[in-house]
Amino acid sequence: MTLKIAVAQFNFVVGDMPGNARKIIGAARTAYAGGARLLLTPELSICAYICEDLFLRPSFIAACDDAVKTVAHETAGLAGMAIVVGHPVGRGERGRSVSVSQRTNSASVIRDGRVIENYAKRLLPNYQVFDERRYFTPGQGTCVFQVEGVSVGLLICEDAWFEEPAQLAKDAGAELLAVINASPFHVGKGYEREAMMIERVKAVGLPLVYAHLVGGQDEVVFEGQSFAVDADAKLAGRAPSFVEQLFFVEARRTGDAIALHAETAPARDNDADLWDALVLGLRDYAGKNGFKTVALGLSGGIDSALVLALAVDALGADKVHAVMMPSPYTAGISVEDAREMARRTGVHYDEITIRPEFESFKASLKPLFAGKPEDSTEENIQARIRGIMLMALSNKHGHLVLACGNKSEYAVGYSTLYGDMCGGFAPIKDVLKTRVFELARWRNAHDPYGTVANPIPERIITRPPSAELRAGQTDQDSLPPYAVLDAIIERYVENDAGVADLVAAGFRPEDVELVTRLIKINEYKRRQSAEGTRVSHRGFGKDWRYPMTNRFRA
């Protein structure tokens, strides 16, 4: 006996319940025609993930209920097929939004036009980007249902990271575990999941199919990479990462044993995963929010060069508008390199000098600045003029402006509020500066989307980075070398190391003091920064929540 299982590794849109229902219905019909009798959709597939405070609105829950009914009605003719659909459930009386106990993160099993089982997620994550205890109450039961003679135990995401829910499903008669998920990406997370599910299989002795979401949603990205693990704890198949796919797994019974068989996409390196995550995050943020074109300031430096390459891969060169805005301090080679990169990539390119505007600002402010030397004030004026230019182009033409700052700069405030921080999306906000250089070299060596080979001029990568806001400026005039800076940021921000820990690890006390102080005092800037794709296990978004008014430093 063979049960064919289909995993709908699809890109759903938050709040588009009718559209998501249509996708599920289409997947069910395709899977059924291909011989599948069990369809698994990701966690909360009806409404997509992460919905945040939409979960608190009764009308949102009602719309989800209607979409589940639509799926049931439209798939009633698929005789004998079981369809697992993730959705929120509002139980009992619906009151004010503070009454979170009325909701569960659930999955329904639909067959022959009706819901035959419902399961509520037992373990609710409340760390990193997760706030599920704000919205849901834990489930208490188990769910085991029959498909083609196989007893399937249903789990939702976090449930499978701990032993009890899987063991309870086995105790209830499950022969196969079906785990539906929406687990945000960070570099290396896909293989962490596989390793954890292998441990779960070892613990309970049941084969497991892991159905995962793909797509970008604001700051988070889901990479897909659904997979299957056999009862002997060996990988039985893996879907590709960062693409939609109807992934098929065959469960073949021999006696009491069930063996899983599926195609296995090759393992990938971290650079490829990181690039694809950044591309998908940008593409989906622009596309799902209705932006057809993007604009960015192309400075001739490494950050804007990397963002330009990302934008071309995400949207196509014809959708990208780059603007070089030289000031009196812009080096000639910066203009040359910006022109060369625009030529290589084929994007729309313009040059607008900001010298007249800069001189006009200085003239207007001269009486008020009398007796004071030029300093960072004049540097910030240049950045803000560029921000005004880009936002004007956005207003006139409807472009999404991309902010080109990296994680190192956002950490220590090496950026100008209302200047180079202007924009609606910051694609490399969670990428450290040292990683920016590595990614630039990786992208020049690879052309994963077939858009353009070797897009970034070599001189952009090799020359010392500079904001070019004063004569002879380099980043290291005011910051430690990026190898040191990034190592401190990674330990302090991502791993909660304290000042004493950093000094004990061998960093110079003066570097530690400078960097940690800058991180603390620039919280107000990060609060006003654009959303950006999260690719580390702790970015400056939902999983970084520090007060702006604060006298404590770790």
Side-chain angles (χ1 to χ4, degrees), residues 261-545:
H261 300 269
E263 293 184 0
T264 302
R268 293 157 47 94
D269 63 39
N270 285 341
D271 289 330
D273 275 352
L274 176 54
W275 188 263
D276 282 350
L278 295 171
V279 166
L280 183 57
L282 172 55
R283 179 189 296 140
D284 274 3
Y285 187 84
K288 291 179 179 180
N289 287 290
F291 290 99
K292 294 180 172 58
T293 56
V294 298
L296 69 148
L298 188 62
S299 69
I302 187 69
D303 298 314
S304 61
L306 190 70
V307 170
L308 181 66
L310 282 167
V312 170
D313 279 1
L315 305 170
D318 62 320
K319 303 295 193 299
V320 181
H321 296 252
V323 186
M324 158 53 87
M325 293 169 280
S327 80
Y329 305 110
T330 301
I333 59 174
S334 296
V335 178
E336 292 171 10
D337 290 344
R339 290 172 180 168
E340 173 59 17
M341 187 166 183
R343 185 194 66 78
R344 292 186 187 188
T345 56
V347 300
H348 301 279
Y349 176 76
D350 291 288
E351 292 179 9
I352 308 173
T353 179
I354 66 166
R355 182 186 290 268
E357 291 80 8
F358 182 45
E359 296 301 330
S360 178
F361 267 103
K362 288 199 297 180
S364 296
L365 291 166
K366 185 176 181 179
L368 302 178
F369 288 177
K372 292 184 177 293
E374 290 197 1
D375 56 15
S376 61
T377 305
E378 285 74 18
E379 296 178 26
N380 290 336
I381 287 172
Q382 296 168 71
R384 289 180 176 130
I385 292 169
R386 291 178 174 126
I388 289 171
M389 297 287 191
L390 289 172
M391 293 311 300
L393 292 170
S394 171
N395 292 161
K396 188 64 70 175
H397 298 292
H399 306 315
L400 169 65
V401 173
L402 303 181
C404 297
N406 60 65
K407 189 172 190 173
S408 308
E409 294 170 348
Y410 281 109
V412 298
Y414 197 70
S415 53
T416 302
L417 198 59
Y418 323 123
D420 56 313
M421 291 179 69
C422 277
F425 197 72
I428 58 171
K429 182 181 181 178
D430 198 27
V431 182
L432 292 167
K433 186 77 168 192
T434 49
R435 201 77 172 94
V436 168
F437 282 101
E438 293 168 358
L439 266 186
R441 290 207 175 280
W442 182 90
R443 179 58 183 86
N444 272 1
H446 302 81
D447 186 10
Y449 295 87
T451 54
V452 56
N454 196 36
I456 303 173
E458 180 68 14
R459 188 166 57 187
I460 289 178
I461 300 174
T462 57
R463 63 185 290 214
S466 170
E468 294 191 329
L469 297 172
R470 66 173 183 267
Q473 183 181 30
T474 68
D475 291 1
Q476 265 56 71
D477 295 342
S478 50
L479 295 173
Y482 278 116
V484 174
L485 176 66
D486 287 356
I488 294 174
I489 292 171
E490 187 171 31
R491 288 167 171 81
Y492 188 80
V493 172
E494 297 183 17
N495 295 297
D496 291 324
V499 169
D501 302 320
L502 293 165
V503 173
F507 295 101
R508 296 194 313 164
E510 55 269 38
D511 288 339
V512 173
E513 171 64 23
L514 173 65
V515 174
T516 57
R517 183 182 69 83
L518 289 173
I519 291 171
K520 176 179 177 293
I521 67 175
N522 283 289
E523 188 61 39
Y524 77 100
K525 281 190 181 181
R526 289 189 292 271
R527 288 286 186 96
Q528 299 178 70
S529 62
E531 195 86 284
T533 305
R534 174 187 181 270
V535 292
S536 72
H537 70 268
R538 193 175 202 186
F540 288 130
K542 292 184 180 68
D543 45 356
W544 178 266
R545 307 182 193 187

Side-chain angles (χ1 to χ4, degrees), residues 17-33:
M17 279 71 84
N20 296 337
R22 286 193 296 272
K23 270 197 162 183
I24 294 168
I25 293 162
R29 290 170 177 163
T30 300
Y32 191 83

Side-chain angles (χ1 to χ4, degrees), residues 32-205:
Y32 191 83
R37 292 301 176 263
L38 172 60
L39 174 68
L40 304 177
T41 71
E43 179 180 9
L44 294 168
S45 54
I46 279 290
C47 56
Y49 197 88
I50 303 171
C51 296
E52 302 183 72
D53 282 6
L54 287 172
F55 287 128
L56 303 179
R57 303 194 71 88
S59 58
F60 183 80
I61 303 298
C64 292
D65 293 343
D66 290 343
V68 173
K69 292 173 184 174
T70 298
V71 172
H73 179 266
E74 294 296 324
T75 59
L78 307 180
M81 185 180 208
I83 304 167
V84 177
V85 176
H87 60 104
V89 171
R91 299 191 186 280
E93 184 178 340
R94 292 174 181 165
R96 296 178 61 190
S97 61
V98 294
S99 183
V100 298
S101 62
Q102 301 302 310
R103 295 173 210 89
T104 56
N105 179 344
S106 293
S108 289
V109 184
I110 296 170
R111 183 158 56 208
D112 299 329
R114 63 188 184 88
V115 174
I116 61 167
E117 295 283 353
N118 182 270
Y119 174 73
K121 187 176 183 178
R122 298 173 65 95
L123 302 177
L124 302 177
N126 222 61
Y127 53 85
Q128 292 181 339
V129 298
F130 300 105
D131 278 318
E132 292 202 18
R133 292 178 200 166
R134 175 178 172 87
Y135 307 115
F136 302 119
T137 190
Q140 302 296 325
T142 59
C143 177
V144 178
F145 59 97
Q146 297 286 319
V147 188
E148 301 277 291
V150 176
S151 296
V152 180
L154 183 58
L155 302 175
I156 301 178
C157 205
E158 190 85 355
D159 293 338
W161 288 72
F162 297 88
E163 188 168 336
E164 184 183 29
Q167 187 61 52
L168 288 172
K170 181 178 181 179
D171 294 344
E175 301 173 281
L176 168 71
L177 296 176
V179 187
I180 65 170
N181 306 270
S183 175
F185 169 84
H186 63 248
V187 173
K189 183 66 178 287
Y191 301 105
E192 292 174 19
R193 292 192 206 98
E194 289 183 9
M196 179 57 69
M197 293 306 105
I198 285 171
E199 291 304 308
R200 188 60 49 242
V201 167
K202 287 179 180 176
V204 298

